[in-house]
Amino acid sequence: TLQRYGLRIYQDQLIAPLYDADRSLVNIVVLDPISQTNTKPLKLTVPFGLNLLSARNAEIMLVDSIWDALCVYQTTGKVAIALPSAKFSIRMNMIFEHLRKIHIWCSNDKALAFRLANVLSPHRCFMITYPMNAQGAFMSGHNLKTIMNESFAVINKCIEQFDTFRDLIRDELLQRTRFAGLTWQRFPMLTQILKGHRAGELTVLTGSTGCGKTTFLSEYSLDLCLQGVNI
């Protein structure tokens, strides 16, 4: 794992290189293997682990820290990229454009995790809401593969989003005649309001007891039956 990420040992410390998308070295971070923290906290200009990313990768994991990335790769074999204090730019989004599945494990900031998902396209993002980060789970002996497999989709495929119906609703409002249904012969005012009867559309009719709901619906149905509609 250390070799894959390009880490080197120097005077009992780990030197973690930071590469940009072109695999050019832009900075280094000094890690303390004993305390497992950054001995010299740096404001990272690029994420850690971009040197492992290639066009062959279809799935990655975004994590909080360099140690998290190392633990994930060691146990799952999946490329993990750390985004500590790095601004997620449009260019970074382009780098991840080819990926089909992105797991996000940001235990320190759940709001950031969902913002990342929105930027990266929520349809391919899967969230991990484990009560600890990847390093903590690894040190506690938890199975990171199982945790990764239990990630949930940011967007449920069973729930339609407004964007799916945006164009349809706009056309229905602007091109009423195109979406008009079968007009009623006895109720011209109703036709003017509802634009006719459309199969598959649900209309709820409410009112107090005895106000004529059943009588109206009987006439409503009879009108359509006379025009050949199966009721």
Side-chain angles (χ1 to χ4, degrees):
T1 297
L2 299 181
Q3 184 177 3
R4 286 282 288 146
Y5 278 94
L7 273 72
R8 297 291 185 269
I9 299 176
Y10 177 74
Q11 295 182 351
D12 297 329
Q13 292 180 331
L14 288 176
I15 308 299
L18 300 178
Y19 297 92
D20 61 13
D22 300 325
R23 289 181 171 78
S24 300
L25 183 65
V26 296
N27 209 336
I28 61 172
V29 177
V30 181
L31 305 174
D32 185 352
I34 298 177
S35 63
Q36 296 183 351
T37 57
N38 298 358
T39 58
K40 294 181 180 180
L42 297 174
K43 186 175 181 179
L44 303 182
T45 55
V46 294
F48 169 78
L50 290 182
N51 54 314
L52 268 68
L53 192 63
S54 68
R56 293 177 297 178
N57 297 117
E59 181 179 3
I60 66 167
M61 182 180 291
L62 300 180
V63 293
D64 287 324
S65 71
I66 294 176
W67 290 110
D68 288 339
L70 297 176
C71 291
V72 168
Y73 186 81
Q74 176 68 25
T75 55
T76 68
K78 299 293 184 181
V79 172
I81 295 177
L83 300 172
S85 70
K87 292 184 178 180
F88 197 85
S89 63
I90 296 177
R91 187 185 179 194
M92 289 295 104
N93 192 13
M94 295 174 62
I95 295 172
F96 298 147
E97 188 175 11
H98 68 283
L99 298 169
R100 294 198 303 268
K101 193 172 186 178
I102 300 175
H103 300 274
I104 302 177
W105 192 343
C106 295
S107 58
N108 296 332
D109 192 341
K110 296 296 190 297
L112 172 63
F114 281 97
R115 287 199 300 270
L116 280 175
N118 287 328
V119 172
L120 293 169
S121 178
H123 293 279
R124 59 176 179 164
C125 290
F126 292 77
M127 203 67 63
I128 295 176
T129 56
Y130 210 65
M132 61 181 70
N133 58 25
Q135 180 189 1
F138 176 78
M139 298 297 291
S140 301
H142 300 173
N143 192 322
L144 269 62
K145 283 187 178 180
T146 301
I147 296 173
M148 187 174 182
N149 292 334
E150 291 177 350
S151 62
F152 64 91
V154 174
I155 291 184
N156 193 317
K157 294 182 179 180
C158 298
I159 301 176
E160 294 287 358
Q161 302 294 310
F162 176 71
D163 290 343
T164 307
F165 303 99
R166 186 188 302 274
D167 293 338
L168 181 62
I169 294 173
R170 182 192 60 204
D171 291 342
E172 188 169 343
L173 293 174
L174 298 179
Q175 304 179 36
R176 294 187 176 183
T177 56
R178 176 184 171 188
F179 291 89
L182 181 65
T183 60
W184 293 277
Q185 302 297 324
R186 304 183 183 188
F187 306 104
M189 184 63 70
L190 185 64
T191 297
Q192 184 178 354
I193 297 173
L194 297 181
K195 307 304 177 187
H197 171 77
R198 289 176 288 274
E201 185 173 282
L202 174 65
T203 301
V204 179
L205 184 66
T206 64
S208 58
T209 303
C211 69
K213 298 188 298 296
T214 303
T215 302
F216 168 72
L217 287 177
S218 297
E219 293 293 325
Y220 174 104
S221 302
L222 180 60
D223 188 305
L224 296 175
C225 285
L226 292 174
Q227 298 186 65
V229 178
N230 295 325
I231 302 297

